[in-house]
Amino acid sequence: MVKSKVLLLSPAVYAFTATVINAILEDLFIVFSGKDLVKKLLVVNPKERLTVEDALQHPWLQDEGMRATAKGLMYQQSDSEEKPTTSRKRPSQDTEDKRPSKRKADETSSVKKTAP
């Protein structure tokens, strides 16, 4: 027969400073406010869904801490000096040898020249 043991803990008393409590409440506000905004944006019925104007006025997007976090994420500085580009072209390669490509050389040699 197995006997189970119950461990009784004495109650603990915690004291938080106003700074700690405010930081916890601020974090909770950000989490719950962000969830509230997302829920209101995901409503299926467009008539009941939050409009863009209303979403931009939502308290979560008005919070300075959230704005700073979003700005930091959107405009992160990379370690390299390369800046992102939107060009889809390949970067030009500067080479000392400016000979035509083999394809171009083959095309020009296969063209028959006739005298007038």
Side-chain angles (χ1 to χ4, degrees):
M1 179 173 193
V2 177
K3 293 182 180 179
S4 61
K5 294 183 180 180
V6 176
L7 180 63
L8 297 176
L9 299 175
S10 61
V13 177
Y14 296 99
F16 291 107
T17 63
T19 306
V20 172
I21 291 173
N22 287 335
I24 292 169
L25 291 175
E26 185 176 320
D27 288 346
L28 287 174
F29 165 76
I30 291 171
V31 169
F32 289 117
S33 185
K35 285 182 179 182
D36 177 61
L37 175 62
V38 171
K39 284 179 185 179
K40 289 178 179 178
L41 290 172
L42 292 177
V43 172
V44 177
N45 185 347
K47 292 179 181 179
E48 296 175 10
R49 188 181 312 139
L50 204 59
T51 65
V52 173
E53 293 81 16
D54 291 338
L56 292 173
Q57 297 305 314
H58 192 277
W60 190 63
L61 293 177
Q62 297 301 314
D63 180 66
E64 288 301 320
M66 184 50 58
R67 284 184 173 190
T69 301
K71 187 175 181 180
L73 291 172
M74 290 188 291
Y75 304 107
Q76 288 180 350
Q77 297 294 327
S78 63
D79 293 337
S80 68
E81 295 297 321
E82 294 180 25
K83 296 192 178 201
T85 179
T86 57
S87 174
R88 299 189 88 168
K89 295 180 180 180
R90 290 184 186 172
S92 63
Q93 296 178 354
D94 294 329
T95 58
E96 293 178 19
D97 189 13
K98 297 283 185 178
R99 292 181 291 178
S101 68
K102 184 173 179 171
R103 176 180 284 170
K104 288 182 181 178
D106 289 343
E107 290 172 359
T108 56
S109 64
S110 64
V111 175
K112 294 182 182 177
K113 295 181 181 177
T114 57

PDB file of all heavy atoms in Angstrom, residues 60-81:
ATOM      1  N   TRP A  60      -3.650  50.551 -27.593  1.00  0.00           N
ATOM      2  CA  TRP A  60      -2.409  49.784 -27.756  1.00  0.00           C
ATOM      3  C   TRP A  60      -1.476  50.465 -28.742  1.00  0.00           C
ATOM      4  O   TRP A  60      -0.261  50.478 -28.552  1.00  0.00           O
ATOM      5  CB  TRP A  60      -2.733  48.367 -28.229  1.00  0.00           C
ATOM      6  CG  TRP A  60      -1.559  47.449 -28.189  1.00  0.00           C
ATOM      7  CD1 TRP A  60      -0.860  47.056 -27.087  1.00  0.00           C
ATOM      8  CD2 TRP A  60      -0.962  46.785 -29.294  1.00  0.00           C
ATOM      9  NE1 TRP A  60       0.141  46.189 -27.439  1.00  0.00           N
ATOM     10  CE2 TRP A  60       0.097  46.004 -28.801  1.00  0.00           C
ATOM     11  CE3 TRP A  60      -1.224  46.767 -30.659  1.00  0.00           C
ATOM     12  CZ2 TRP A  60       0.897  45.217 -29.611  1.00  0.00           C
ATOM     13  CZ3 TRP A  60      -0.425  45.982 -31.463  1.00  0.00           C
ATOM     14  CH2 TRP A  60       0.616  45.220 -30.944  1.00  0.00           C
ATOM     15  N   LEU A  61      -2.030  51.053 -29.801  1.00  0.00           N
ATOM     16  CA  LEU A  61      -1.198  51.746 -30.780  1.00  0.00           C
ATOM     17  C   LEU A  61      -0.854  53.168 -30.349  1.00  0.00           C
ATOM     18  O   LEU A  61      -0.003  53.809 -30.953  1.00  0.00           O
ATOM     19  CB  LEU A  61      -1.895  51.768 -32.147  1.00  0.00           C
ATOM     20  CG  LEU A  61      -2.043  50.404 -32.804  1.00  0.00           C
ATOM     21  CD1 LEU A  61      -2.809  50.524 -34.111  1.00  0.00           C
ATOM     22  CD2 LEU A  61      -0.693  49.753 -33.040  1.00  0.00           C
ATOM     23  N   GLN A  62      -1.501  53.651 -29.308  1.00  0.00           N
ATOM     24  CA  GLN A  62      -1.204  54.982 -28.791  1.00  0.00           C
ATOM     25  C   GLN A  62      -0.154  54.947 -27.678  1.00  0.00           C
ATOM     26  O   GLN A  62       0.387  55.980 -27.318  1.00  0.00           O
ATOM     27  CB  GLN A  62      -2.480  55.647 -28.275  1.00  0.00           C
ATOM     28  CG  GLN A  62      -3.530  55.875 -29.340  1.00  0.00           C
ATOM     29  CD  GLN A  62      -3.035  56.754 -30.466  1.00  0.00           C
ATOM     30  OE1 GLN A  62      -2.427  57.782 -30.224  1.00  0.00           O
ATOM     31  NE2 GLN A  62      -3.287  56.346 -31.696  1.00  0.00           N
ATOM     32  N   ASP A  63       0.151  53.760 -27.173  1.00  0.00           N
ATOM     33  CA  ASP A  63       1.106  53.610 -26.079  1.00  0.00           C
ATOM     34  C   ASP A  63       2.520  53.936 -26.567  1.00  0.00           C
ATOM     35  O   ASP A  63       2.991  53.382 -27.562  1.00  0.00           O
ATOM     36  CB  ASP A  63       1.042  52.176 -25.539  1.00  0.00           C
ATOM     37  CG  ASP A  63       2.000  51.956 -24.399  1.00  0.00           C
ATOM     38  OD1 ASP A  63       1.803  52.570 -23.339  1.00  0.00           O
ATOM     39  OD2 ASP A  63       2.960  51.175 -24.583  1.00  0.00           O
ATOM     40  N   GLU A  64       3.201  54.853 -25.888  1.00  0.00           N
ATOM     41  CA  GLU A  64       4.544  55.283 -26.292  1.00  0.00           C
ATOM     42  C   GLU A  64       5.563  54.142 -26.240  1.00  0.00           C
ATOM     43  O   GLU A  64       6.431  54.040 -27.086  1.00  0.00           O
ATOM     44  CB  GLU A  64       5.018  56.457 -25.429  1.00  0.00           C
ATOM     45  CG  GLU A  64       4.295  57.747 -25.730  1.00  0.00           C
ATOM     46  CD  GLU A  64       4.453  58.188 -27.184  1.00  0.00           C
ATOM     47  OE1 GLU A  64       5.551  58.066 -27.755  1.00  0.00           O
ATOM     48  OE2 GLU A  64       3.447  58.653 -27.753  1.00  0.00           O
ATOM     49  N   GLY A  65       5.452  53.290 -25.223  1.00  0.00           N
ATOM     50  CA  GLY A  65       6.368  52.152 -25.128  1.00  0.00           C
ATOM     51  C   GLY A  65       6.201  51.199 -26.300  1.00  0.00           C
ATOM     52  O   GLY A  65       7.180  50.701 -26.862  1.00  0.00           O
ATOM     53  N   MET A  66       4.946  50.958 -26.685  1.00  0.00           N
ATOM     54  CA  MET A  66       4.682  50.076 -27.815  1.00  0.00           C
ATOM     55  C   MET A  66       5.171  50.703 -29.110  1.00  0.00           C
ATOM     56  O   MET A  66       5.717  50.035 -29.978  1.00  0.00           O
ATOM     57  CB  MET A  66       3.183  49.761 -27.903  1.00  0.00           C
ATOM     58  CG  MET A  66       2.829  48.771 -28.982  1.00  0.00           C
ATOM     59  SD  MET A  66       3.808  47.253 -29.001  1.00  0.00           S
ATOM     60  CE  MET A  66       3.513  46.622 -27.384  1.00  0.00           C
ATOM     61  N   ARG A  67       4.982  52.006 -29.244  1.00  0.00           N
ATOM     62  CA  ARG A  67       5.469  52.700 -30.445  1.00  0.00           C
ATOM     63  C   ARG A  67       6.979  52.588 -30.564  1.00  0.00           C
ATOM     64  O   ARG A  67       7.521  52.364 -31.640  1.00  0.00           O
ATOM     65  CB  ARG A  67       5.067  54.169 -30.414  1.00  0.00           C
ATOM     66  CG  ARG A  67       3.628  54.410 -30.741  1.00  0.00           C
ATOM     67  CD  ARG A  67       3.359  55.884 -30.766  1.00  0.00           C
ATOM     68  NE  ARG A  67       2.012  56.138 -31.240  1.00  0.00           N
ATOM     69  CZ  ARG A  67       1.571  57.329 -31.550  1.00  0.00           C
ATOM     70  NH1 ARG A  67       2.346  58.380 -31.446  1.00  0.00           N
ATOM     71  NH2 ARG A  67       0.340  57.481 -31.981  1.00  0.00           N
ATOM     72  N   ALA A  68       7.679  52.763 -29.453  1.00  0.00           N
ATOM     73  CA  ALA A  68       9.141  52.669 -29.466  1.00  0.00           C
ATOM     74  C   ALA A  68       9.586  51.255 -29.826  1.00  0.00           C
ATOM     75  O   ALA A  68      10.526  51.067 -30.603  1.00  0.00           O
ATOM     76  CB  ALA A  68       9.705  53.077 -28.106  1.00  0.00           C
ATOM     77  N   THR A  69       8.900  50.249 -29.283  1.00  0.00           N
ATOM     78  CA  THR A  69       9.226  48.856 -29.606  1.00  0.00           C
ATOM     79  C   THR A  69       8.989  48.581 -31.082  1.00  0.00           C
ATOM     80  O   THR A  69       9.835  47.983 -31.755  1.00  0.00           O
ATOM     81  CB  THR A  69       8.380  47.896 -28.750  1.00  0.00           C
ATOM     82  OG1 THR A  69       8.648  48.147 -27.370  1.00  0.00           O
ATOM     83  CG2 THR A  69       8.700  46.447 -29.060  1.00  0.00           C
ATOM     84  N   ALA A  70       7.858  49.020 -31.608  1.00  0.00           N
ATOM     85  CA  ALA A  70       7.537  48.798 -33.016  1.00  0.00           C
ATOM     86  C   ALA A  70       8.551  49.493 -33.915  1.00  0.00           C
ATOM     87  O   ALA A  70       9.022  48.917 -34.903  1.00  0.00           O
ATOM     88  CB  ALA A  70       6.126  49.289 -33.316  1.00  0.00           C
ATOM     89  N   LYS A  71       8.909  50.717 -33.578  1.00  0.00           N
ATOM     90  CA  LYS A  71       9.887  51.461 -34.385  1.00  0.00           C
ATOM     91  C   LYS A  71      11.234  50.751 -34.371  1.00  0.00           C
ATOM     92  O   LYS A  71      11.901  50.644 -35.391  1.00  0.00           O
ATOM     93  CB  LYS A  71      10.015  52.881 -33.846  1.00  0.00           C
ATOM     94  CG  LYS A  71      10.861  53.770 -34.708  1.00  0.00           C
ATOM     95  CD  LYS A  71      10.858  55.203 -34.185  1.00  0.00           C
ATOM     96  CE  LYS A  71      11.682  56.092 -35.077  1.00  0.00           C
ATOM     97  NZ  LYS A  71      11.697  57.476 -34.611  1.00  0.00           N
ATOM     98  N   GLY A  72      11.628  50.255 -33.206  1.00  0.00           N
ATOM     99  CA  GLY A  72      12.892  49.527 -33.104  1.00  0.00           C
ATOM    100  C   GLY A  72      12.896  48.259 -33.942  1.00  0.00           C
ATOM    101  O   GLY A  72      13.903  47.900 -34.546  1.00  0.00           O
ATOM    102  N   LEU A  73      11.757  47.570 -33.997  1.00  0.00           N
ATOM    103  CA  LEU A  73      11.670  46.350 -34.800  1.00  0.00           C
ATOM    104  C   LEU A  73      11.642  46.655 -36.293  1.00  0.00           C
ATOM    105  O   LEU A  73      12.223  45.928 -37.094  1.00  0.00           O
ATOM    106  CB  LEU A  73      10.419  45.558 -34.416  1.00  0.00           C
ATOM    107  CG  LEU A  73      10.437  44.926 -33.030  1.00  0.00           C
ATOM    108  CD1 LEU A  73       9.068  44.349 -32.695  1.00  0.00           C
ATOM    109  CD2 LEU A  73      11.509  43.851 -32.953  1.00  0.00           C
ATOM    110  N   MET A  74      10.965  47.729 -36.670  1.00  0.00           N
ATOM    111  CA  MET A  74      10.846  48.058 -38.085  1.00  0.00           C
ATOM    112  C   MET A  74      12.122  48.650 -38.666  1.00  0.00           C
ATOM    113  O   MET A  74      12.419  48.473 -39.841  1.00  0.00           O
ATOM    114  CB  MET A  74       9.686  49.033 -38.309  1.00  0.00           C
ATOM    115  CG  MET A  74       8.334  48.393 -38.096  1.00  0.00           C
ATOM    116  SD  MET A  74       6.965  49.455 -38.585  1.00  0.00           S
ATOM    117  CE  MET A  74       7.038  50.723 -37.348  1.00  0.00           C
ATOM    118  N   TYR A  75      12.870  49.350 -37.861  1.00  0.00           N
ATOM    119  CA  TYR A  75      14.054  50.053 -38.360  1.00  0.00           C
ATOM    120  C   TYR A  75      15.321  49.583 -37.660  1.00  0.00           C
ATOM    121  O   TYR A  75      16.116  50.392 -37.211  1.00  0.00           O
ATOM    122  CB  TYR A  75      13.881  51.561 -38.183  1.00  0.00           C
ATOM    123  CG  TYR A  75      12.646  52.090 -38.842  1.00  0.00           C
ATOM    124  CD1 TYR A  75      11.548  52.490 -38.093  1.00  0.00           C
ATOM    125  CD2 TYR A  75      12.561  52.167 -40.221  1.00  0.00           C
ATOM    126  CE1 TYR A  75      10.398  52.972 -38.702  1.00  0.00           C
ATOM    127  CE2 TYR A  75      11.415  52.641 -40.836  1.00  0.00           C
ATOM    128  CZ  TYR A  75      10.344  53.040 -40.079  1.00  0.00           C
ATOM    129  OH  TYR A  75       9.216  53.504 -40.681  1.00  0.00           O
ATOM    130  N   GLN A  76      15.492  48.271 -37.579  1.00  0.00           N
ATOM    131  CA  GLN A  76      16.677  47.725 -36.928  1.00  0.00           C
ATOM    132  C   GLN A  76      17.917  48.068 -37.735  1.00  0.00           C
ATOM    133  O   GLN A  76      17.907  48.031 -38.956  1.00  0.00           O
ATOM    134  CB  GLN A  76      16.577  46.211 -36.799  1.00  0.00           C
ATOM    135  CG  GLN A  76      15.585  45.761 -35.776  1.00  0.00           C
ATOM    136  CD  GLN A  76      15.521  44.245 -35.683  1.00  0.00           C
ATOM    137  OE1 GLN A  76      16.074  43.544 -36.508  1.00  0.00           O
ATOM    138  NE2 GLN A  76      14.838  43.751 -34.681  1.00  0.00           N
ATOM    139  N   GLN A  77      18.992  48.390 -37.046  1.00  0.00           N
ATOM    140  CA  GLN A  77      20.269  48.648 -37.692  1.00  0.00           C
ATOM    141  C   GLN A  77      21.024  47.340 -37.792  1.00  0.00           C
ATOM    142  O   GLN A  77      21.165  46.611 -36.824  1.00  0.00           O
ATOM    143  CB  GLN A  77      21.095  49.650 -36.871  1.00  0.00           C
ATOM    144  CG  GLN A  77      20.454  51.011 -36.751  1.00  0.00           C
ATOM    145  CD  GLN A  77      20.384  51.716 -38.089  1.00  0.00           C
ATOM    146  OE1 GLN A  77      21.260  51.551 -38.929  1.00  0.00           O
ATOM    147  NE2 GLN A  77      19.336  52.493 -38.296  1.00  0.00           N
ATOM    148  N   SER A  78      21.494  47.027 -38.994  1.00  0.00           N
ATOM    149  CA  SER A  78      22.253  45.791 -39.167  1.00  0.00           C
ATOM    150  C   SER A  78      23.721  46.065 -38.892  1.00  0.00           C
ATOM    151  O   SER A  78      24.180  47.202 -38.936  1.00  0.00           O
ATOM    152  CB  SER A  78      22.066  45.231 -40.576  1.00  0.00           C
ATOM    153  OG  SER A  78      22.582  46.151 -41.516  1.00  0.00           O
ATOM    154  N   ASP A  79      24.469  45.009 -38.621  1.00  0.00           N
ATOM    155  CA  ASP A  79      25.895  45.147 -38.345  1.00  0.00           C
ATOM    156  C   ASP A  79      26.667  45.517 -39.607  1.00  0.00           C
ATOM    157  O   ASP A  79      27.666  46.209 -39.553  1.00  0.00           O
ATOM    158  CB  ASP A  79      26.455  43.833 -37.774  1.00  0.00           C
ATOM    159  CG  ASP A  79      25.879  43.557 -36.389  1.00  0.00           C
ATOM    160  OD1 ASP A  79      25.437  44.515 -35.733  1.00  0.00           O
ATOM    161  OD2 ASP A  79      25.883  42.386 -35.978  1.00  0.00           O
ATOM    162  N   SER A  80      26.212  45.037 -40.751  1.00  0.00           N
ATOM    163  CA  SER A  80      26.914  45.331 -41.989  1.00  0.00           C
ATOM    164  C   SER A  80      26.503  46.699 -42.515  1.00  0.00           C
ATOM    165  O   SER A  80      25.470  47.241 -42.164  1.00  0.00           O
ATOM    166  CB  SER A  80      26.620  44.247 -43.032  1.00  0.00           C
ATOM    167  OG  SER A  80      25.270  44.323 -43.417  1.00  0.00           O
ATOM    168  N   GLU A  81      27.318  47.241 -43.371  1.00  0.00           N
ATOM    169  CA  GLU A  81      27.049  48.540 -43.954  1.00  0.00           C
ATOM    170  C   GLU A  81      26.107  48.455 -45.141  1.00  0.00           C
ATOM    171  O   GLU A  81      25.694  49.461 -45.682  1.00  0.00           O
ATOM    172  CB  GLU A  81      28.367  49.193 -44.379  1.00  0.00           C
ATOM    173  CG  GLU A  81      29.277  49.519 -43.204  1.00  0.00           C
ATOM    174  CD  GLU A  81      28.652  50.541 -42.257  1.00  0.00           C
ATOM    175  OE1 GLU A  81      28.006  51.481 -42.731  1.00  0.00           O
ATOM    176  OE2 GLU A  81      28.803  50.373 -41.040  1.00  0.00           O
TER     177      GLU A  81
END
